Amino acid sequence: MAASSERSPPPFPDSEEPELLEDSDEGADAFTGTSISEMDSPSPDSTRPPKDIFNEPLEDIFSDPLSNINSEPQKKVDTKIPSPSSDEVVDLFSDPLDDDSEVISSPEVQNPMPDLLNEPVQAPKSDGSSKSSSVKKAASAELFGDEDEEDLFKELPKVVTKKPQPLGPPVDVFTEVKSDVKVKPQVKDDPTDLFTEEALTAPAPKPSASSSSSRTNGVHSEEHDLFSEATVELSLDSPRNDRKKKDAVKPSVSAPVAPVASSSSKAPSKTLEELEEEESEDTFDLNISVTNPEKVGDGMNAYMAYKVSTQTSLTMFRSKMFTVRRRFSDFLGLYEKLSEKHSQNGYIVPPPPEKSILGMTKVKVGKEDPSSAEFVERRRAALERYLQRVVSHPSLLQDPDVREFLEKEELPRAVSTQALSGAGFLKMLNKATDAVSKMTIKMNEQDVWFDEKIQDVENEEQHMRKLHIMVESLVNHRKELSGNTAVFAKSVAMLGSSEDNTALSRALSQLAEVEDRIEQIHQEKAANDFFTFSELLADYIRLLGAVKGCFDQRMKAWQRWQDAENMLQKKREAEAKLLWANKPDKLQQAKDEIAEWEAKVTQYEREFERISATVRKEVIRFDKEKARDFKRQIIKYLESLLNSQQQLIKYWEAFLPEAKAIA
Amino acid sequence: MMSNLDINFFFEDFRLNAYILNVDLQTDATLQVDISDALSERDKVKFTVHTKSTLPNFKQNEFSVVRQHEEFIWLHDSFVENEEYAGYIIPPSPPRPDFDASREKLQKLGEGEGSMTKEEFTKMKQELEAEYLAIFKKTVAMHEVFLCRVAAHPVLRKDLNFHVFLEYNQDLSVRGKNKKEKLEDFFKNVVKSADGVLVAGVKDVDDFFEHEKTFLLEYHNRVKDSSAKSDRMIRSHKSAADDINRIASTLYTLGTQDSTDLCKFFLKVSELFEKTRKIEARVAADEDLKLADLLKYYLRESQAAKDLLYRRGRALVDYENANKALDKARAKNKDVLQAETTQQVCCQKFEKISESAKQELIDFKTRRVAAFRKNLVELAELELKHAKGNLQLLQSCLGVLKGDT
């Protein structure tokens, strides 16, 4: 509670907008400060014509959406509670489509974004400053108030007149979100629309604000965590945004603010997306390598430690080059942390390589046989790829845990990663319940894109698995071939030694030598099959699992929304009964409940929209990465094959005259 | 199962191989034998043996008969059992046609037809048919090599049984051996190998034969080993090629999932894998023909040479025993005449064997060196050809793929 009120923009001096205070309800005391923006906020939504937005100074545009975030939902709650007729409310929700159609054409959603993009340098600064520190915020608001006095005055009456019809603005809020959904399918393949898509994500944090305000009503406290986290996100957006922008524009300047907390939110994702675009074009300047696997300790308590070296020019890191030692469970721990924070938001968190008790035990026992050396190398390479995937994800790179993992000398031991621990058992239990609930959720997919994509991913995973099995089999057969070739080479050498024709004997021993080299080639090919091809597939099978996890998260969000919707329906029925039974004493309570559930429905719906948007963006990003990865790896694979062939030609060419020399 | 047309189509290419194995020194055109056609029936293969000859013992200059594997075996056994030929290396009998594995696979494929896609099924079927054909052609080639070797042999070519085999246009009505005969054969073999050990232990008076004996014993074992190893190597090579094939078809299905860039990429890679598969399979098949078959043939041929040495060794032992018996008889002055004749017969037999065996073993060596040369040169050339083809394929594919990205 206290946290949320701290984070919400602080109260403004009364003297500044005295009229506004008259409007605000007493329930909104914590938010009184926001009233200035509250007054503003409806303007882009409903009252102000779109061209105003362009005419206005930059600060205005930016303070608008921000304050919207805080103010809109709050107002919604404020206004709804005193609303005299519940029928109107019912109406509102029963035919939202009409509202949609009105709003779809409204430009608010798209309009702020182009501006944002046109002035990226200044924009985030004001953005950041307005939010990161209360003083600045007040100052900028003042500034804005001073500069646009005229404007303000023009608008104010409109807003005030709007107020008596309290249901107006909330409708906009709802329909705005709904219209977002409508826009999406058109967005799909058009890259220029990418920004509008991000714009869609922009309203996402609203629910958190609305929830915090609903909490002021003291209703649902059980969701405290979620909301407070959301508010944390809000408050952190701006510094990061700010910093990111600065990084992008003038990379020489060292990062001014180190982000304290993590979890990504939608607001910075716009800018991150831009950044990512840039990044994917430029070379990604963060090189991570995992080297020097080393056994630490003895017996069953032994473990492998890896050297994780980072080389970067990104200013978010303290130095350009640094090295830490990490053990396997640290990598797992990193994944646990990341997945806990990000997967529920619909992010694809790259999964680490699997634990292998058998392989590790072999290493622990300490036999220096080739299979355990191969195991270690395989794991090392997998860990390296894992880290590279993590840092190449723009949102995950920002996570303090990632930086800590890369930079900090000593990490607290990751405890919950052991397979045979209580935590492991709990995890298994959770997985099982998840699987069950997944089966019970019957989601009728409205979104064609998702419908197809889910199916595609399912198919793709299946084929990848099949392919993986076959490549594994190829690896095994090549190894077998290599072994058999070696044996044959020895045998031919023996045959050559017992042959009594000198030239033939010589040719046979030459053949044995050739076969020996071919054995090497086969071995290299097997290693190549394995490390460049099979491991790539294994990685992507895991990653596709993560993608499916994202889809599941989205489905869960949908389920929550549907449940809330059902609940609301029930409440309304109850209210209707009460009306009919004419029990006014309970009516008020029923109305309160309805309002509460309406808020929840809105919130869950937005969460669903938000997660859908994120998942979608993530999947698009994933597909891009996948295409790049596969192309790069397969070309590498083929180049290595090419090399082998060249060697093969060399060997046989050398042999041919020997064979001809037999007389 | 397989139409005759198919077989003829592939036949030519295998004919060549038969000659490759059969590098005989004979350029004599008086008797030329080949297998012009073969027909695979349910449990037997019918070979059409075609003969061209100017020898007066034949009624016509050119004729063909249909023979089965059992008749080849009969001919071979008749050579082995003929005392007259004890001094020669009897060309090894061709191996029994063995299509069981291939047939079984085809049958399994038929059963599993429902569980795979049409493309997979067609592909598998083609593969199995190719495999079947390869075995078939190899069988034919082995039988032909046997006949050619006999026809090229200065003594064996005049054998009456051989002429009957070539000319008599009816069934020779040879039957497979019955159980009793098989048991007898088994005991004979046991006795022979036990005897072989005894005989081999006897120090030879002649350095040439002593050397040949130690050489052949070692050589036979080594060639046996090499042959087994080469088979295993080639088998794993084939499995690898099969894997590549399956990878290609899975990549193809992945590629047809969608029409994105990556899918197109997959399709191209799939195409490459498909071609690579063909080359790899060819490499394996050529290694099989040029290397494994060569080794297998010399495994049998060295066995035949060993048998010759055994017969000579046996004759030597008999001769020495006869000498001892003669000494004994002279000492006791009893049955001297009989002992003398036995001794003389043994001596003659031994000398006759020794005389022809020396030439035979020298010929064997010449043939072996020539055959190895020819096969190894061709193996190297084919390996080079395939490796270069593969290289070119990879280069062009990489060019296309890189151009794309």
Side-chain angles (χ1 to χ4, degrees):
Chain A
M1 225 3 262
S4 74
S5 60
E6 255 173 42
R7 274 160 199 140
S8 60
F12 291 110
D14 285 1
S15 55
E16 213 179 303
E17 314 284 359
E19 314 97 309
L20 290 170
L21 284 173
E22 292 167 18
D23 271 355
S24 60
D25 292 280
E26 68 280 1
D29 40 9
F31 292 90
T32 40
T34 62
S35 51
I36 176 170
S37 42
E38 185 179 295
M39 296 319 293
D40 262 356
S41 60
S43 51
D45 284 340
S46 51
T47 50
R48 199 187 296 166
K51 58 177 176 185
D52 263 21
I53 291 166
F54 297 104
N55 297 338
E56 274 167 16
L58 277 170
E59 285 88 343
D60 199 349
I61 295 169
F62 281 92
S63 55
D64 274 352
L66 287 169
S67 45
N68 269 353
I69 291 164
N70 295 321
S71 59
E72 271 178 12
Q74 193 231 323
K75 193 195 320 164
K76 173 197 78 201
V77 175
D78 291 345
T79 48
K80 243 178 263 156
I81 294 165
S83 80
S85 75
S86 59
D87 288 353
E88 270 181 59
V89 183
V90 177
D91 270 316
L92 184 84
F93 284 95
S94 57
D95 48 7
L97 273 174
D98 294 0
D99 295 311
D100 285 355
S101 54
E102 287 169 34
V103 190
I104 282 172
S105 56
S106 78
E108 305 94 330
V109 185
Q110 280 98 336
N111 276 338
M113 286 317 295
D115 273 31
L116 226 174
L117 298 170
N118 291 340
E119 276 88 20
V121 186
Q122 287 170 302
K125 272 183 192 160
S126 62
D127 181 22
S129 59
S130 65
K131 273 189 124 196
S132 55
S133 80
S134 55
V135 188
K136 272 186 193 167
K137 159 84 187 184
S140 72
E142 241 174 313
L143 196 79
F144 142 67
D146 288 342
E147 279 180 10
D148 295 293
E149 241 174 323
E150 217 185 47
D151 223 7
L152 260 173
F153 287 134
K154 269 185 217 159
E155 288 157 29
L156 281 173
K158 285 181 199 163
V159 180
V160 174
T161 48
K162 275 248 154 190
K163 283 271 158 176
Q165 311 159 316
L167 286 172
V171 173
D172 281 352
V173 175
F174 293 132
T175 51
E176 186 189 306
V177 178
K178 272 179 190 146
S179 68
D180 292 350
V181 193
K182 298 271 150 56
V183 178
K184 263 184 225 162
Q186 303 157 0
V187 171
K188 205 198 275 182
D189 291 323
D190 197 345
T192 55
D193 275 2
L194 212 66
F195 296 117
T196 55
E197 194 188 287
E198 283 133 33
L200 303 179
T201 64
K206 282 178 198 166
S208 59
S210 87
S211 63
S212 63
S213 67
S214 60
R215 249 191 307 125
T216 56
N217 296 338
V219 190
H220 31 256
S221 51
E222 77 279 3
E223 281 163 325
H224 178 89
D225 281 349
L226 190 78
F227 298 140
S228 59
E229 192 189 289
T231 28
V232 172
E233 286 170 18
L234 262 179
S235 59
L236 284 166
D237 294 344
S238 35
R240 212 178 329 153
N241 221 346
D242 193 309
R243 188 182 45 74
K244 262 282 173 190
K245 279 291 178 191
K246 273 182 188 159
D247 280 358
V249 178
K250 22 185 177 164
S252 55
V253 179
S254 63
V257 193
V260 192
S262 57
S263 48
S264 49
S265 62
K266 304 317 122 189
S269 71
K270 315 163 198 169
T271 49
L272 284 173
E273 184 68 29
E274 290 163 43
L275 263 184
E276 194 226 324
E277 298 262 298
E278 286 163 29
E279 275 164 7
S280 61
E281 281 158 29
D282 304 343
T283 45
F284 184 71
D285 192 26
L286 181 60
N287 253 326
I288 293 191
S289 56
V290 177
T291 48
N292 291 7
E294 213 175 71
K295 202 166 112 177
V296 179
D298 280 312
M300 285 317 282
N301 289 324
Y303 62 90
M304 296 300 289
Y306 303 85
K307 201 168 115 187
V308 179
S309 326
T310 314
Q311 199 177 1
T312 181
S313 64
L314 290 186
T315 46
M316 60 183 280
F317 294 100
R318 275 195 285 271
S319 56
K320 285 195 189 310
M321 254 168 95
F322 40 90
T323 304
V324 287
R325 286 202 79 77
R326 294 282 177 257
R327 53 182 293 181
F328 183 63
S329 55
D330 294 334
F331 289 83
L332 292 184
L334 175 66
Y335 169 71
E336 292 297 330
K337 283 185 202 155
L338 291 177
S339 104
E340 207 176 292
K341 272 185 279 186
H342 297 285
S343 66
Q344 63 183 7
N345 292 324
Y347 282 102
I348 299 171
V349 181
E354 276 120 10
K355 279 189 91 78
S356 161
I357 294 174
L358 183 77
M360 199 53 214
T361 310
K362 255 185 164 174
V363 174
K364 278 176 182 170
V365 168
K367 291 248 174 68
E368 288 291 321
D369 64 336
S371 79
S372 72
E374 193 187 293
F375 170 79
V376 169
E377 166 56 19
R378 176 184 180 179
R379 177 167 274 185
R380 184 206 63 75
L383 289 174
E384 189 173 284
R385 287 193 307 274
Y386 161 66
L387 279 188
Q388 278 161 355
R389 285 212 171 87
V390 169
V391 298
S392 70
H393 192 296
S395 310
L396 296 185
L397 177 61
Q398 303 303 316
D399 194 289
D401 280 328
V402 173
R403 291 194 328 121
E404 200 171 72
F405 182 88
L406 294 175
E407 275 185 331
K408 206 172 168 189
E409 206 53 57
E410 288 292 322
L411 266 192
R413 176 105 159 77
V415 278
S416 59
T417 58
Q418 270 150 334
L420 300 169
S421 66
F425 182 70
L426 273 181
K427 249 186 276 169
M428 259 160 62
L429 212 68
N430 279 339
K431 268 183 196 161
T433 39
D434 269 10
V436 171
S437 66
K438 221 162 79 184
M439 271 186 279
T440 52
I441 300 178
K442 292 270 183 300
M443 185 176 183
N444 50 338
E445 189 57 73
Q446 302 290 324
D447 195 323
V448 189
W449 188 87
F450 274 107
D451 201 20
E452 279 177 4
K453 205 72 209 173
I454 290 171
Q455 200 54 45
D456 283 355
V457 167
E458 198 68 50
N459 285 340
E460 201 173 359
E461 198 196 2
Q462 212 181 331
H463 290 301
M464 288 259 189
R465 277 185 195 284
K466 210 170 150 193
L467 191 60
H468 185 239
I469 291 168
M470 279 157 191
V471 176
E472 292 274 86
S473 147
L474 177 66
V475 171
N476 288 335
H477 279 133
R478 273 230 234 265
K479 278 186 187 156
E480 196 183 302
L481 175 60
S482 152
N484 286 340
T485 310
V487 171
F488 176 68
K490 276 200 194 77
S491 180
V492 167
M494 294 292 281
L495 183 68
S497 72
S498 72
E499 171 64 58
D500 54 3
N501 179 298
T502 345
L504 181 53
S505 167
R506 193 182 137 78
L508 284 176
S509 59
Q510 289 290 327
L511 179 66
E513 221 164 276
V514 169
E515 293 290 352
D516 239 356
R517 287 184 183 145
I518 289 174
E519 183 239 317
Q520 286 296 314
I521 292 181
H522 287 316
Q523 216 161 33
E524 280 159 25
K525 272 187 181 174
N528 186 31
D529 287 336
F530 184 75
F531 285 111
T532 27
F533 202 5
S534 171
E535 286 289 88
L536 172 76
L537 290 168
D539 277 5
Y540 270 90
I541 289 167
R542 276 204 299 273
L543 279 166
L544 284 171
V547 172
K548 273 162 69 182
C550 285
F551 288 143
D552 291 346
Q553 289 291 345
R554 177 174 168 270
M555 198 157 79
K556 266 192 215 156
W558 182 83
Q559 185 64 25
R560 253 203 316 270
W561 173 31
Q562 293 305 306
D563 286 349
E565 197 91 75
N566 287 338
M567 199 62 181
L568 178 63
Q569 201 59 42
K570 271 183 206 151
K571 295 284 177 206
R572 282 193 183 130
E573 275 161 18
E575 192 211 21
K577 270 182 200 156
L578 286 174
L579 263 179
W580 190 71
N582 204 9
K583 285 182 185 162
D585 47 334
K586 287 186 183 168
L587 204 58
Q588 187 53 44
Q589 193 199 343
K591 278 185 176 141
D592 286 353
E593 278 181 351
I594 286 174
E596 171 201 329
W597 278 100
E598 274 170 349
K600 277 192 182 176
V601 166
T602 326
Q603 177 206 339
Y604 288 149
E605 188 184 353
R606 279 182 182 164
E607 261 168 30
F608 173 68
E609 300 305 344
R610 188 190 58 179
I611 202 168
S612 295
T614 316
V615 169
R616 214 177 142 110
K617 205 173 71 190
E618 284 284 291
V619 170
I620 289 168
R621 199 188 93 90
F622 170 77
D623 278 345
K624 242 199 272 175
E625 292 259 295
K626 186 180 69 188
R628 206 172 53 200
D629 259 14
F630 265 92
K631 283 181 185 171
R632 200 177 49 214
Q633 286 296 92
I634 288 180
I635 283 177
K636 196 174 144 204
Y637 175 68
L638 296 180
E639 273 169 350
S640 150
L641 283 186
L642 191 95
N643 227 346
S644 311
Q645 287 300 326
Q646 274 163 342
Q647 274 176 304
L648 200 63
I649 290 172
K650 216 172 69 198
Y651 296 150
W652 282 114
E653 262 170 0
F655 176 70
L656 192 56
E658 293 287 343
K660 282 184 175 158
I662 304 171
Chain B
M1 174 153 276
M2 188 122 348
S3 74
N4 230 349
L5 193 80
D6 275 344
I7 289 156
N8 281 328
F9 179 70
F10 285 96
F11 212 61
E12 286 312 309
D13 151 70
F14 248 80
R15 170 73 37 69
L16 295 170
N17 193 56
Y19 287 120
I20 287 159
L21 273 177
N22 186 36
V23 251
D24 265 311
L25 312 166
Q26 166 236 29
T27 45
D28 185 3
T30 52
L31 180 62
Q32 285 178 324
V33 186
D34 63 275
I35 293 176
S36 60
D37 197 3
L39 186 67
S40 167
E41 285 179 1
R42 184 140 285 282
D43 52 353
K44 60 190 170 202
V45 181
K46 287 182 168 167
F47 304 93
T48 307
V49 179
H50 171 253
T51 313
K52 248 167 119 179
S53 173
T54 52
L55 292 179
N57 352 17
F58 296 113
K59 290 186 193 95
Q60 287 163 298
N61 284 344
E62 197 169 346
F63 45 87
S64 296
V65 288
V66 175
R67 291 285 171 253
Q68 289 182 32
H69 173 72
E70 283 71 25
E71 290 163 317
F72 283 80
I73 299 299
W74 165 80
L75 182 62
H76 175 259
D77 288 351
S78 79
F79 290 145
V80 173
E81 279 157 21
N82 194 334
E83 283 283 318
E84 287 292 308
Y85 304 142
Y88 304 106
I89 295 176
I90 311 292
S93 64
R96 233 193 109 67
D98 183 17
F99 300 115
D100 292 351
S102 178
R103 278 217 185 98
E104 209 172 286
K105 274 195 209 160
L106 260 176
Q107 208 174 346
K108 259 190 208 158
L109 180 73
E111 285 161 9
E113 189 174 350
S115 65
M116 52 182 109
T117 66
K118 210 182 163 203
E119 289 112 40
E120 273 175 328
F121 179 76
T122 336
K123 217 175 204 177
M124 290 275 280
K125 199 173 167 219
Q126 278 172 354
E127 236 172 85
L128 281 177
E129 278 174 352
E131 193 186 311
Y132 181 84
L133 241 127
I135 300 172
F136 181 75
K137 287 187 288 184
K138 230 159 123 171
T139 309
V140 173
M142 289 297 185
H143 285 77
E144 195 179 53
V145 167
F146 172 70
L147 291 183
C148 293
R149 282 269 287 115
V150 174
H153 197 280
V155 180
L156 296 179
R157 66 192 297 197
K158 292 179 191 133
D159 182 76
L160 190 67
N161 281 336
F162 182 48
H163 290 178
V164 170
F165 176 91
L166 292 178
E167 202 177 20
Y168 185 62
N169 63 0
Q170 308 268 305
D171 195 352
L172 288 172
S173 71
V174 289
R175 54 183 174 85
K177 287 174 175 165
N178 62 26
K179 269 184 191 160
K180 200 184 156 206
E181 281 167 325
K182 269 184 189 158
L183 203 67
E184 274 172 13
D185 272 5
F186 175 73
F187 279 121
K188 248 197 229 162
N189 274 330
V190 172
V191 172
K192 188 182 142 194
S193 46
D195 198 33
V197 175
L198 279 177
V199 167
V202 176
K203 176 89 177 120
D204 207 307
V205 282
D206 191 325
D207 279 350
F208 174 78
F209 284 109
E210 184 60 29
H211 170 78
E212 282 297 316
K213 196 168 73 188
T214 44
F215 162 71
L216 269 175
L217 275 177
E218 196 181 74
Y219 188 81
H220 179 71
N221 287 334
R222 294 204 167 148
V223 95
K224 195 173 175 178
D225 185 58
S226 296
S227 167
K229 301 285 156 62
S230 71
D231 269 353
R232 269 166 56 191
M233 178 177 81
I234 286 155
R235 209 176 321 127
S236 36
H237 208 145
K238 276 179 183 156
S239 324
D242 282 351
D243 287 333
I244 295 175
N245 189 22
R246 274 189 283 265
I247 290 171
S249 58
T250 316
L251 271 174
Y252 180 80
T253 33
L254 251 182
T256 46
Q257 286 285 300
D258 212 334
S259 55
T260 57
D261 252 16
L262 186 62
C263 287
K264 284 178 202 142
F265 182 83
F266 280 147
L267 284 182
K268 277 185 199 116
V269 177
S270 156
E271 202 183 311
L272 171 78
F273 270 85
E274 175 72 44
K275 286 178 185 157
T276 316
R277 194 277 302 194
K278 273 188 191 141
I279 290 180
E280 287 289 337
R282 277 314 299 250
V283 172
D286 285 336
E287 278 175 1
D288 196 14
L289 285 178
K290 303 293 168 201
L291 205 57
D293 282 359
L294 175 81
L295 292 169
K296 245 180 248 152
Y297 188 79
Y298 275 90
L299 169 66
R300 294 202 309 273
E301 183 95 28
S302 63
Q303 180 62 49
K306 251 175 77 187
D307 286 349
L308 169 66
L309 281 182
Y310 163 72
R311 287 194 296 268
R312 185 182 163 277
R314 186 70 254 168
L316 178 63
V317 171
D318 285 350
Y319 176 45
E320 277 169 357
N321 286 344
N323 271 340
K324 276 178 203 156
L326 182 62
D327 287 348
K328 235 188 218 167
R330 276 186 182 143
K332 287 182 182 171
N333 207 5
K334 208 170 119 193
D335 300 331
V336 176
L337 194 67
Q338 201 194 341
E340 246 170 19
T341 38
T342 318
Q343 190 256 357
Q344 259 164 14
V345 168
C346 283
C347 176
Q348 264 173 12
K349 193 181 164 195
F350 173 67
E351 262 158 19
K352 195 182 159 209
I353 290 179
S354 293
E355 191 190 305
S356 58
K358 198 164 189 171
Q359 191 52 47
E360 281 283 300
L361 286 172
I362 290 166
D363 280 355
F364 167 67
K365 189 174 166 184
T366 327
R367 265 205 317 275
R368 188 178 72 232
V369 171
F372 269 91
R373 178 179 196 273
K374 192 158 185 166
N375 275 282
L376 289 181
V377 167
E378 274 166 358
L379 173 72
E381 274 166 354
L382 283 168
E383 292 272 9
L384 270 176
K385 184 185 134 199
H386 294 319
K388 278 177 182 163
N390 207 344
L391 182 73
Q392 207 177 0
L393 204 63
L394 282 166
Q395 270 166 345
S396 67
C397 183
L398 271 173
V400 171
L401 292 180
K402 278 184 183 160
D404 262 17
T405 48

